[in-house]
Amino acid sequence: MSRRISTAPLALLLVSLGSAAGGAYAYHRYRDADWERRENEYQRQLQGKLTESEKQMQSLNTELGTARARLVTQASLDEKYQAQLTAKDADFEKFRREHALALKSLSDATFQLQQREHGGKETAREVPPSPPPPGEPTVPSVHPVIAYEYTDPEGRVQLKDPNIWVQGDEELQLQQLFRVEGTVLQQTNGSLMTERVQLQEVSADGTGKYRELAAARLVDASFTYANAPLAGPPGGLKWGPSWMATVGTSFRSESLLRVGASARVVKWGPVGLAAGLSSDFLSLEGSGGDAFVTFTPSVKGRELGLVLGGGVHLPLGGTQRVRPNLTVSFVVY
């Protein structure tokens, strides 16, 4: 006597599969459309076809301290960098090659720092003439020799003049500390970037902190960068749920297929870990939790909305409490 199969679970399975496939297709199309949008935006901006707002963001603004910015290809950026290298950069280039560092941007800034000091410490003293060699007469000086020294209140500028009546023997010593602050900003919906640069002269307070003495005014600055959009999601370890509709099987179970939902909680490249719930809607043995390792195939560097997995199924009832499990999941979000 053949066993009669209820049509309700089969219909539910077909509806679940259709919804999952539709969600995966929509997810895949949306992501492809997003990639295409970013690529089109990048090509427009790379060709210099900017909106008025983007032109303002890329222009020099000495009041805000933002540089004149320009988006170029990586090849153009590397070429510009090689053209400006000198013998002084040999050690840095060796360091860059040893650590496989990629060039991302170049910046150049010119500042004007104008200050006026009040106070300080100055001394002037008359220097007695040196005695003449034995046998030579003493020749009186037209002016007495006066030595002069000045040190500013912060001790960073020192002027020495051994004889104020003689030009060309002055000595000026500068010992200054400068703080350079750079901030790089990027569009949230495009490839354009800009850099803000600031220069301040500071003085050490003896506690490991620095006090600002004067802020330099930005005269000119340029910022050249390469920032092509990623071809797909960045690699590396990523945490956070990725929701999926799941179809699983445990081989010798009474029901061949189970359907359910799962979430991939961690992902490292194409591999990840996921957990969820599934059921055959017939028995407690066919219902329970799932834990499995995932693999996401890709085509030409772009991930599909399809995820393959293998792990265990934990039934709510029955004698075998752990079953091997293979899954096919469809990413819906």
Side-chain angles (χ1 to χ4, degrees), residues 99-266:
H99 295 275
L101 301 177
L103 179 67
K104 300 303 294 181
S105 65
L106 294 172
S107 59
D108 181 24
T110 302
F111 290 89
Q112 181 186 57
L113 182 61
Q114 185 174 353
Q115 299 172 264
R116 178 176 295 177
E117 291 293 343
H118 297 279
K121 180 180 180 182
E122 60 181 358
T123 60
R125 58 187 176 84
E126 183 176 342
V127 180
S130 301
E136 293 187 7
T138 301
V139 179
S141 175
V142 178
H143 300 288
V145 177
I146 298 177
Y148 175 83
E149 292 186 8
Y150 169 79
T151 304
D152 77 303
E154 300 293 337
R156 68 201 197 283
V157 179
Q158 187 176 31
L159 173 64
K160 294 182 179 181
D161 189 350
N163 189 348
I164 64 173
W165 310 111
V166 178
Q167 292 188 355
D169 62 346
E170 300 86 356
E171 180 181 317
L172 178 64
Q173 295 181 354
L174 301 176
Q175 186 174 353
Q176 297 172 273
L177 297 176
F178 292 95
R179 176 193 291 132
V180 180
E181 294 181 346
T183 305
V184 176
L185 306 172
Q186 178 182 341
Q187 279 182 311
T188 56
N189 58 349
S191 294
L192 294 185
M193 302 173 68
T194 187
E195 181 186 36
R196 185 189 186 199
V197 285
Q198 296 171 283
L199 175 69
Q200 300 103 21
E201 185 182 5
V202 297
S203 176
D205 62 3
T207 63
K209 298 182 179 180
Y210 298 91
R211 177 170 53 88
E212 180 180 331
L213 300 178
R217 184 178 69 86
L218 180 67
V219 176
D220 194 10
S222 64
F223 177 63
T224 307
Y225 59 96
N227 188 32
L230 296 175
L237 186 64
K238 295 189 297 184
W239 295 87
S242 178
W243 305 104
M244 302 180 292
T246 303
V247 178
T249 181
S250 294
F251 307 110
R252 297 180 181 178
S253 300
E254 182 178 354
S255 298
L256 181 62
L257 296 177
R258 296 185 311 276
V259 295
S262 62
R264 183 174 53 197
V265 294
V266 62

